[in-house]
Amino acid sequence: MLDVRGLKKVYEGSGRCVEAVRDLTFTVAAGELVCLVGPSGCGKTTLLKCVGGLLEPTAGEVFLAGRKVAGPPPGMAFVFQEYGRSLFPWMRVGENVELPLRQKDLSRTRRRELVADALASVGLADAAGAYPWQLSGGMQQRVAIARALAYEPEVLLMDEPFAAVDAQTRADLEDLVRRLWRERGITILFVTHDIDEAVYLGERVVVLSASPTVVREQLEVDLPGGRDQVHTRVAPRFAELRTHVYEQIQAAKRGAAGPVKTDAPPPR
Ligand SMILES: Nc1ncnc2c1ncn2[C@@H]1O[C@H](COP(=O)(O)OP(=O)(O)OP(=O)(O)O)[C@@H](O)[C@H]1O
Ligand SMILES: [Mg+2]
């Protein structure tokens, strides 16, 4: 579904030149949930913006279902890191969710149905008439997720969407993403700097190096599909995987090249 080949991004301007992403190659199959994890500032947002067609790569290419991405492709939706800035405060929740649907050739009735359905699936059926600023942070982020869902994307890109919410809300939102993924069969690329979150959510974890970024390792998460916050996080295999990823990231920060030998058992 997604094919990222030799992606490189160098920011240039005002006499400064930052090589954010050096050489990234990975694929995401249709219906897969992949987490990208890497140290802070390693270029995760840059990468997602290139994948979403919001930024032009310096070199390399991104393909969505075999077609080269050049500008935001119709089948993709984005959930940004800062929910506070991603909703329009002067529009009601329902209008915010409906906004991207106006680009689609849909009847008014169908648009209303999609909005109601998306809000119901994030547990906010009653909030359509409220303004975003009347909701809590976690609820606002659920509105942003509903807006992406209503659009019925094939691919959902999520950039540290839960970084700014409290731990309990975050756990609920993680479970919401897993549930929506299982119910709707969407392809999800989820970026986080949180190792536990990456292992808990992902079917596969792509570990990135420090900037200038390359793919350091890819790890299959062989935990059962039906995960829950209580049991999954205390499972011995969960601990092994998170320790392994943690050690890779620590090594990445020290600048070691390629995967290092770790104390955690190697991936099965
Ligand atoms: N518009 C820009 N112009 C110049 N440099 C930029 C720009 N955006 C990002 N950078 C640089 O590119 C590098 C990667 O930034 P990016 O935001 O992609 O990292 P990140 O992994 O998303 O960080 P975080 O974990 O803090 O969200 C950083 O060194 C940053 O300073
Ligand atoms: Mg970022």
Side-chain angles (χ1 to χ4, degrees):
M1 177 63 81
L2 258 187
D3 191 358
V4 178
R5 293 187 203 159
L7 192 77
K8 178 185 173 86
K9 179 69 190 177
V10 181
Y11 290 106
E12 281 173 276
S14 52
R16 214 168 82 99
C17 196
V18 181
E19 184 185 17
V21 172
R22 174 163 291 174
D23 180 11
L24 281 177
T25 298
F26 63 92
T27 58
V28 181
E32 214 185 351
L33 199 179
V34 173
C35 288
L36 282 169
V37 63
S40 188
C42 80
K44 300 181 295 296
T45 297
T46 303
L47 162 68
L48 267 200
K49 284 183 176 167
C50 289
V51 171
L54 302 173
L55 263 184
E56 199 184 339
T58 308
E61 291 156 323
V62 177
F63 294 89
L64 171 68
R67 294 168 81 177
K68 187 170 164 169
V69 170
M76 236 184 231
F78 215 117
V79 176
F80 293 95
Q81 193 163 349
E82 297 154 342
Y83 53 82
R85 282 203 273 163
S86 78
L87 301 174
F88 292 114
W90 61 88
M91 285 184 177
R92 291 175 195 274
V93 163
E95 293 164 323
N96 264 287
V97 174
E98 190 180 346
L99 190 63
L101 301 182
R102 300 212 186 134
Q103 294 171 10
K104 290 192 167 185
D105 187 17
L106 296 171
S107 70
R108 197 183 155 87
T109 319
R110 179 67 187 141
R111 287 207 307 261
R112 292 281 146 89
E113 263 172 32
L114 285 168
V115 170
D117 183 37
L119 282 172
S121 55
V122 300
L124 287 177
D126 298 337
Y131 287 97
W133 41 268
Q134 294 175 316
L135 306 179
S136 71
M139 289 163 92
Q140 290 179 33
Q141 192 55 293
R142 279 189 279 155
V143 174
I145 295 171
R147 183 173 58 187
L149 287 177
Y151 189 70
E152 299 191 298
E154 287 171 284
V155 177
L156 180 57
L157 306 177
M158 305 184 89
D159 187 7
E160 306 208 38
F162 312 142
V165 293
D166 65 90
Q168 280 168 36
T169 307
R170 182 179 191 146
D172 291 343
L173 291 174
E174 286 168 0
D175 288 341
L176 174 69
V177 167
R178 291 265 325 163
R179 178 168 64 76
L180 294 170
W181 169 69
R182 294 182 78 164
E183 284 172 7
R184 300 195 177 213
I186 316 169
T187 307
I188 301 182
L189 185 56
F190 189 105
V191 160
T192 179
H193 65 268
D194 184 317
I195 296 161
D196 287 58
E197 181 167 78
V199 173
Y200 181 75
L201 274 183
E203 296 293 297
R204 187 151 59 88
V205 175
V206 178
V207 183
L208 303 175
S209 73
S211 191
T213 311
V214 298
V215 172
R216 183 171 184 90
E217 190 186 31
Q218 302 204 34
L219 194 72
E220 293 295 328
V221 178
D222 49 4
L223 295 169
R227 299 180 192 172
D228 72 81
Q229 296 285 349
V230 177
H231 300 98
T232 306
R233 287 184 190 271
V234 295
R237 185 61 181 153
F238 181 84
E240 276 175 22
L241 289 167
R242 74 164 304 281
T243 307
H244 181 84
V245 174
Y246 183 81
E247 288 177 334
Q248 293 303 329
I249 292 191
Q250 289 304 109
K253 285 197 213 156
R254 291 195 304 270
V260 290
K261 211 173 158 306
T262 65
D263 293 338
R268 282 182 203 150

